[in-house]
Amino acid sequence: MDYRNIAIIAHVDHGKTTLVDGLLKQSHIFRENQVVAERVMDSNELERERGITILAKNTAVNWQGSKINIVDTPGHADFGGEVERALSMVDGVLLLVDAAEGPMPQTRFVLRKALALGLKPVVVVNKIDRKDARPDEVVNLTFDLMVELGANDEQLDFPIVYAVAREAKAWLELEKPGDDLVPLFETIVKHIPVANADTTTAFQMQVTNLDYSDYLGRIAVGRILKGRLKKGDQVLRIKHDGSSEKARVTKTYTHLGLNRVEVEELSAGDIVAITGIEEVQIGDTLTDPEHPEALPVVTVDEPTISMTFSPNTSPFAGTEGKYVTSRHIKDRLGRELLVNVALRVEELGGEQFRVSGRGELHLSILIEQMRREGYEFSVSRPEVILKEIEGEVHEPYEHVIADVPEVFMGGVMESLSSRKGSLLNMTQEAGRARLEFSIPSRALFGYRTAFLSMTQGEGLLHHVFDGYEPFVGELKTRQGGSLVAMEPGEAFAYSLFKLQDRGTFFIDPGIQVYVGMIVGANARAGDLNINVCKNKKLTNVRSAGSDDNINLTPPKRLTLEEALEYIVDDELLEVTPKNIRLRKRILEPNMRKREEKTAANG
């Protein structure tokens, strides 16, 4: 059997997981009466909720004598560690582009990686049924992007397939719509090279992913580059540091549809899973003990953002979480490091851990997974990781694309410029403007919420890491201070009503608060200590106007990402399985004042 190994790459929400659904169904992987969920590859609970792909996953279909291994990759640049590993296993890519939006920043990020590896692209123009579709222009934009990213002549001579992934239809000529995905299957088989399947030489494979089973232990996933492997064979595991150890393979699996199928023998060219190698790590080489030959370790871009994780020390500590100590946090971060190669964890003093990742979303997904598993902890404000290049301090920059209605264009340009952004390009069409900026990564902390308010929810904001540039100095991203509780107890509607002209509240009446807990955003600069636990004095005397109706403005409910964007250096985010609370790092108001005076005096 010949193997075709492909990765599907696209911007967030351009329909690649939906397209995989269609490919699986039309290759008759499922029974006729089988109930199959939508976006079947998004198996992770968080992926289903957010509608994005977080983890790279494998599937495979048989098509007229060829086995097509498909790797579904994340579209978001924050999960670039997943993308880089996936691309090391394949020989070609399906580049999925929205027929209206065209190539977007995340497309650019993954495509640059694919072209640098010499992978052959097939361009799929999806959502061709949109009213605002502009397929010819999108193909030209894609060609221009590939030229800009350094594609060679062979890569620039890419085949084009038009598709409506939601209806599982594809066709090769724009004017002749198709009824199924056969043209796409045929294009893959015709243009994606057959995997190099040299089965006569010694076995060699690189581990690019890990899974875990309670029954089988660690499962190593990767592509066999050379030779064959049988169940029960002995292999040599060559580690990152060059040391090695022998192990015996207990189970051998290949992929078909959504399942792993146990087989007796595996051969070169296939993407497989094997068990029996206890301490295997991502990037290890598995090879024949008689002919040991190490492969280069898969390189992953360095992290750009870090946060400090520490045990929760608020008055409510330990009341909601199951795992609350620094030992629990350390063990959990250690397990995450096994499968999340783009993550870095550094142990600091005082039971703290500096966790570094590719972006806010990368780290917020980890925080969300931990809280759902029962962990309780606190995290600091995200900070960019600075680098010294040729004696000068550099910071990470983002390439930003803001798609906004023309009426809001001026405000958005002014707000991005005030955050040290530089305008790169501007286009206007059909009442909307597309603005491209280069801006420091830290300038975007807290910007998305302000951007949505500024554009009345009609703006689209996309950004991707674009390299390091010289440090631009101090940036003020948050204008107002915080409303901080100065008394512990239950928050009363009466207090909130009297104080609501001071700013925007994050809490409802009846919520328990503690001293130093942030209960809202101050409308003015600087923090304001308030008492939200004060109730109305009840007497038998009544006077006109004393019994006004209490009409409270609904509180602003912060998501995890919004909360991370909101906090500043002297604030923490308290994360528990049930709640997300904001707090001051120093809870007591008098202690905070003393600290501020000390800092002011140098």
Side-chain angles (χ1 to χ4, degrees):
M1 183 179 285
D2 62 350
Y3 299 104
R4 315 294 169 121
N5 299 322
I6 59 167
I8 299 191
I9 58 176
H11 185 78
V12 177
D13 202 31
H14 277 198
K16 66 183 177 312
T17 310
T18 308
L19 184 66
V20 173
D21 281 2
L23 291 170
L24 287 169
K25 287 171 184 170
Q26 291 194 18
S27 61
H28 306 296
I29 289 295
F30 306 117
R31 299 189 316 272
E32 291 295 324
N33 62 342
Q34 189 171 342
V35 177
V36 182
E38 270 189 44
R39 300 197 319 276
V40 70
M41 288 289 280
D42 282 348
S43 52
N44 182 300
E45 187 182 344
L46 275 173
E47 290 178 321
R48 289 199 166 278
E49 280 180 23
R50 293 171 182 243
I52 60 172
T53 303
I54 296 169
L55 304 170
K57 290 176 285 292
N58 296 49
T59 186
V61 298
N62 289 326
W63 182 259
Q64 296 179 352
S66 296
K67 182 180 181 184
I68 303 172
N69 282 307
I70 303 167
V71 184
D72 185 19
T73 65
H76 203 288
D78 280 17
F79 308 112
E82 296 284 327
V83 173
E84 285 152 349
R85 281 167 19 210
L87 294 181
S88 69
M89 292 193 288
V90 300
D91 300 301
V93 292
L94 287 189
L95 173 61
L96 206 64
V97 186
D98 189 294
E101 293 179 8
M104 298 293 276
Q106 268 86 346
T107 313
R108 182 190 196 92
F109 164 78
V110 187
L111 186 58
R112 182 188 289 140
K113 302 278 183 193
L115 295 176
L117 289 167
L119 302 179
K120 175 76 177 174
V122 172
V123 174
V124 181
V125 183
N126 191 28
K127 304 188 182 181
I128 205 80
D129 56 337
R130 283 181 62 160
K131 289 180 182 176
D132 55 349
R134 46 184 187 132
D136 292 336
E137 196 176 334
V138 163
V139 169
N140 291 336
L141 287 169
T142 306
F143 182 86
D144 293 344
L145 177 61
M146 287 197 191
V147 171
E148 187 186 329
L149 297 178
N152 59 38
D153 290 344
E154 190 185 350
Q155 289 170 328
L156 289 172
D157 187 22
F158 52 80
I160 303 161
V161 181
Y162 303 98
V164 181
R166 193 178 52 198
E167 297 175 12
K169 294 178 181 177
W171 54 95
L172 302 177
E173 295 178 40
L174 192 54
E175 299 77 22
K176 298 179 182 177
D179 299 318
D180 52 31
L181 292 173
V182 169
L184 179 56
F185 279 114
E186 290 174 345
T187 305
I188 291 169
V189 172
K190 183 178 177 183
H191 292 278
I192 301 297
V194 177
N196 180 23
D198 183 0
T199 56
T200 58
T201 51
F203 168 74
Q204 190 184 43
M205 164 184 163
Q206 187 159 45
V207 179
T208 50
N209 213 342
L210 286 179
D211 204 348
Y212 185 81
S213 162
D214 290 336
Y215 304 103
L216 302 169
R218 280 193 206 177
I219 302 170
V221 179
R223 171 179 168 179
I224 299 180
L225 298 174
K226 292 191 289 190
R228 296 177 179 274
L229 181 71
K230 291 181 181 176
K231 186 161 62 173
D233 280 358
Q234 195 174 58
V235 296
L236 186 72
R237 171 190 164 219
I238 304 175
K239 306 173 193 175
H240 294 239
D241 58 5
S243 61
S244 61
E245 64 180 25
K246 289 182 180 178
R248 192 166 298 282
V249 175
T250 54
K251 300 270 187 183
T252 48
Y253 297 93
T254 185
H255 294 90
L256 188 62
L258 302 176
N259 303 317
R260 288 198 182 111
V261 181
E262 188 174 353
V263 292
E264 289 299 315
E265 186 179 49
L266 303 169
S267 63
D270 201 1
I271 296 175
V272 303
I274 60 178
T275 64
I277 306 159
E278 279 304 308
E279 299 298 320
V280 68
Q281 305 274 357
I282 287 170
D284 288 353
T285 301
L286 304 180
T287 183
D288 187 333
E290 303 298 321
H291 305 86
E293 188 184 343
L295 289 160
V297 176
V298 178
T299 56
V300 176
D301 286 351
E302 290 298 306
T304 57
I305 283 179
S306 68
M307 296 179 193
T308 303
F309 285 43
S310 55
N312 185 17
T313 55
S314 82
F316 295 169
T319 57
E320 296 174 0
K322 185 177 176 185
Y323 308 109
V324 297
T325 66
S326 60
R327 182 176 58 81
H328 287 133
I329 297 168
K330 181 182 178 180
D331 290 348
R332 177 63 181 83
L333 292 174
R335 288 204 308 276
E336 188 67 24
L337 282 173
L338 295 175
V339 293
N340 198 337
V341 289
L343 199 72
R344 303 282 184 275
V345 176
E346 181 188 347
E347 211 167 329
L348 306 174
E351 300 187 326
Q352 295 184 330
F353 305 90
R354 181 182 288 124
V355 182
S356 306
R358 291 288 287 271
E360 272 185 290
L361 186 61
H362 184 202
L363 295 178
S364 71
I365 290 291
L366 170 62
I367 293 168
E368 183 64 34
Q369 285 172 334
M370 286 176 67
R371 70 181 284 251
R372 290 184 182 206
E373 291 166 17
Y375 287 84
E376 182 179 314
F377 54 100
S378 58
V379 295
S380 70
R381 180 194 193 189
E383 297 174 352
V384 295
I385 298 171
L386 304 176
K387 273 187 180 179
E388 192 170 309
I389 302 172
E390 296 177 356
E392 190 179 4
V393 176
H394 284 59
E395 64 176 318
Y397 264 65
E398 305 274 327
H399 182 90
V400 173
I401 292 184
D403 189 337
V404 299
E406 282 181 358
V407 290
F408 305 122
M409 184 174 74
V412 171
M413 288 178 71
E414 186 183 341
S415 67
L416 286 169
S417 300
S418 69
R419 291 172 176 245
K420 307 283 177 83
S422 308
L423 183 65
L424 304 175
N425 191 22
M426 179 177 73
T427 54
Q428 291 172 259
E429 190 181 331
R432 289 185 76 87
R434 185 166 168 152
L435 311 170
E436 292 189 42
F437 274 81
S438 177
I439 191 168
S441 296
R442 59 198 168 103
L444 293 176
F445 294 166
Y447 182 68
R448 187 174 294 276
T449 309
F451 172 80
L452 289 173
S453 300
M454 203 183 306
T455 59
Q456 296 180 9
E458 292 185 51
L460 299 170
L461 187 73
H462 303 288
H463 56 90
V464 64
F465 173 65
D466 199 35
Y468 277 80
E469 298 288 338
F471 188 71
V472 292
E474 191 179 346
L475 269 175
K476 192 164 185 182
T477 56
R478 196 176 95 183
Q479 303 305 317
S482 296
L483 300 175
V484 187
M486 56 189 288
E487 294 286 340
E490 183 183 329
F492 285 104
Y494 174 77
S495 296
L496 297 177
F497 177 66
K498 292 291 184 186
L499 292 164
Q500 65 183 0
D501 61 337
R502 299 285 187 169
T504 306
F505 280 105
F506 302 150
I507 62 167
D508 286 305
I511 294 290
Q512 292 290 326
V513 300
Y514 54 80
V515 176
M517 180 171 156
I518 296 170
V519 294
N522 191 3
R524 299 183 181 184
D527 294 336
L528 181 65
N529 293 316
I530 58 173
N531 183 2
V532 293
C533 303
K534 189 176 179 182
N535 204 359
K536 184 179 180 183
K537 293 280 190 295
L538 299 177
T539 69
N540 289 328
V541 180
R542 290 288 177 268
S543 61
S546 66
D547 289 326
D548 291 337
N549 278 337
I550 292 178
N551 292 319
L552 279 178
T553 306
K556 183 177 182 180
R557 311 214 179 272
L558 296 178
T559 64
L560 179 59
E561 279 85 7
E562 287 171 343
L564 286 170
E565 289 172 350
Y566 177 82
I567 56 177
V568 291
D569 290 338
D570 69 333
E571 296 169 354
L572 294 172
L573 181 64
E574 179 185 344
V575 180
T576 78
K578 295 181 181 176
N579 290 294
I580 294 170
R581 300 185 188 93
L582 305 170
R583 53 163 285 190
K584 300 304 283 187
R585 199 181 284 270
I586 300 171
L587 298 177
E588 285 295 329
N590 295 332
M591 292 282 285
R592 277 205 304 277
K593 273 186 185 173
R594 202 174 303 158
E595 193 79 17
E596 285 166 15
K597 279 182 184 175
T598 307
N601 295 332

